[in-house]
Amino acid sequence: MSKKHRIFIVDDHPIMRQGLGQLINNEPDLELVGEASDARSGLTGVMESKPHLVVIDISLPGKNGLELIKDLKASTEGVLMLVHSMHDESLYVERVLRAGAHGYIMKHEGGKKVLDAIRKVLRGEIYVSPEMSGKILEIFS
């Protein structure tokens, strides 16, 4: 069996962390290594658990997810980040990518799409919705 990819979740809603954690742990190639409900404990948890990927919500108490992305980029090496948010992708995707995240998926997407986004980011690719990919290319070109 190949090595499992280690995932850490930062989301302020317990049911979201629990559901996403179960989804991840049901996959043979993924494992949940920790979770946090705010940016400060998320930063500490990521430093301790050394995941391959952090799934981050934008709306967090205290510091928001965008600030957490910047903090993680500055204080960790090689950790990948995927934003999982209820906020409209068109409002935040450019900012999270510029801050250092590797993808953005909205919370209304189903489990299969979330897992696809996780795996795409783990392969070193950027994940955004098909609707946003053309716009992102225009912005960054």
Side-chain angles (χ1 to χ4, degrees):
M1 186 171 160
S2 63
K3 184 178 164 189
K4 289 188 174 195
H5 293 283
R6 302 164 49 83
I7 315 290
F8 193 97
I9 300 170
V10 184
D11 194 300
D12 60 332
H13 294 97
I15 194 75
M16 207 59 199
R17 292 192 311 269
Q18 182 182 14
L20 190 53
Q22 285 182 343
L23 185 70
I24 289 166
N25 280 332
N26 284 336
E27 296 299 304
D29 59 328
L30 305 174
E31 73 173 318
L32 182 66
V33 295
E35 59 181 63
S37 61
D38 59 66
R40 187 171 44 134
S41 57
L43 182 61
T44 303
V46 167
M47 301 292 273
E48 291 172 357
S49 65
K50 300 188 182 347
H52 298 112
L53 173 76
V54 184
V55 179
I56 303 169
D57 188 10
I58 290 285
S59 298
L60 296 170
K63 276 187 172 180
N64 66 32
L66 198 56
E67 293 301 315
L68 176 58
I69 291 165
K70 292 174 185 175
D71 290 347
L72 287 169
K73 186 172 181 178
S75 58
T76 61
E77 192 173 318
V79 70
L80 300 168
M81 295 171 275
L82 173 67
V83 171
H84 185 231
S85 178
M86 68 175 191
H87 296 290
D88 189 336
E89 182 180 29
S90 64
L91 300 175
Y92 283 96
V93 70
E94 181 182 356
R95 286 188 270 176
V96 301
L97 293 176
R98 286 191 190 278
H102 302 85
Y104 195 108
I105 186 162
M106 298 209 31
K107 286 186 176 179
H108 72 262
E109 297 291 357
K112 182 182 180 326
K113 279 197 176 180
V114 172
L115 291 171
D116 288 347
I118 287 171
R119 288 188 175 104
K120 188 169 185 174
V121 171
L122 285 168
R123 287 193 305 267
E125 300 173 41
I126 299 293
Y127 180 89
V128 295
S129 69
E131 298 80 28
M132 285 303 299
S133 62
K135 292 177 185 173
I136 292 299
L137 286 173
E138 283 179 31
I139 290 167
F140 285 98
S141 65

